Amino acid sequence: AAAAAAPASTPLRPVAFFASDQTGRSARSTLVSTGRAGADLRERVAAVLGAKTAALLAPIDVSLPQRGARAYGLVSRPGAGAKGEGLRQFVCVNGRPVEMPRLVRALNEAPRALSSSLVGTRPLAFLHLCLPPASVDVNVAPDKRSVFVQQEAALVEALRQALAAMW
């Protein structure tokens, strides 16, 4: 029997962000951390990227109940993203940080549909995907960051529609 995704009322465990540095044999020093931030995603983003960045983000919640899938998190408003690389776009599937090129492409193409002045702007994004475990294959690459998601096309389309409605 296939397991269902976590219900909308059941939050995932909070994702911890941290960066540290160590030079030679010196002690490791923590540069940024969400260690003291609460479980709220906005608080964790503010702990790492600052309160001004967290204020640019709006909640997004997309459900596909017929597939047992849900995507939720925070996305920046149009024009509030970063130019250039997508260094501030984070996606987790069932609590695991992953790379999902098709989903990120949809996220980056959404502002272009609104205005030609937004071409090249990449929204800030912190997305959690709750999917049935049987629909996710993490054994695509040794580092487990690349995943295969059975209903990826439907999820990407639902995200596109939600972004268009939000913006």
Side-chain angles (χ1 to χ4, degrees), residues 38-99:
D40 179 64
L41 181 59
R42 188 177 303 276
E43 289 177 36
R44 291 183 169 272
V45 170
V48 175
L49 300 177
K52 287 183 180 181
T53 299
L56 299 173
L57 303 171
I60 188 166
D61 198 335
V62 178
S63 292
L64 295 170
Q66 68 279 15
R67 298 179 189 266
R70 178 180 176 221
Y72 68 96
L74 300 170
V75 177
S76 65
R77 294 172 181 87
K83 295 269 186 181
E85 298 178 23
L87 297 176
R88 294 188 179 173
Q89 297 174 332
F90 303 94
V91 180
C92 291
V93 172
N94 297 342
R96 175 189 301 272
V98 298
E99 294 173 2

Side-chain angles (χ1 to χ4, degrees), residues 36-151:
R36 293 196 173 114
D40 179 64
L41 181 59
R42 188 177 303 276
E43 289 177 36
R44 291 183 169 272
V45 170
V48 175
L49 300 177
K52 287 183 180 181
T53 299
L56 299 173
L57 303 171
I60 188 166
D61 198 335
V62 178
S63 292
L64 295 170
Q66 68 279 15
R67 298 179 189 266
R70 178 180 176 221
Y72 68 96
L74 300 170
V75 177
S76 65
R77 294 172 181 87
K83 295 269 186 181
E85 298 178 23
L87 297 176
R88 294 188 179 173
Q89 297 174 332
F90 303 94
V91 180
C92 291
V93 172
N94 297 342
R96 175 189 301 272
V98 298
E99 294 173 2
M100 293 186 68
R102 289 183 188 125
L103 189 136
V104 170
R105 187 176 320 116
L107 183 66
N108 291 333
E109 289 173 354
R112 294 181 199 155
L114 297 173
S115 169
S116 61
S117 68
L118 297 176
V119 171
T121 300
R122 297 175 186 261
L124 306 175
F126 302 86
L127 297 174
H128 292 276
L129 281 63
C130 299
L131 305 172
S135 71
V136 180
D137 184 0
V138 297
N139 295 315
V140 175
D143 66 0
K144 309 285 189 207
R145 290 201 38 97
S146 298
V147 296
F148 175 76
V149 177
Q150 288 178 358
Q151 67 256 12

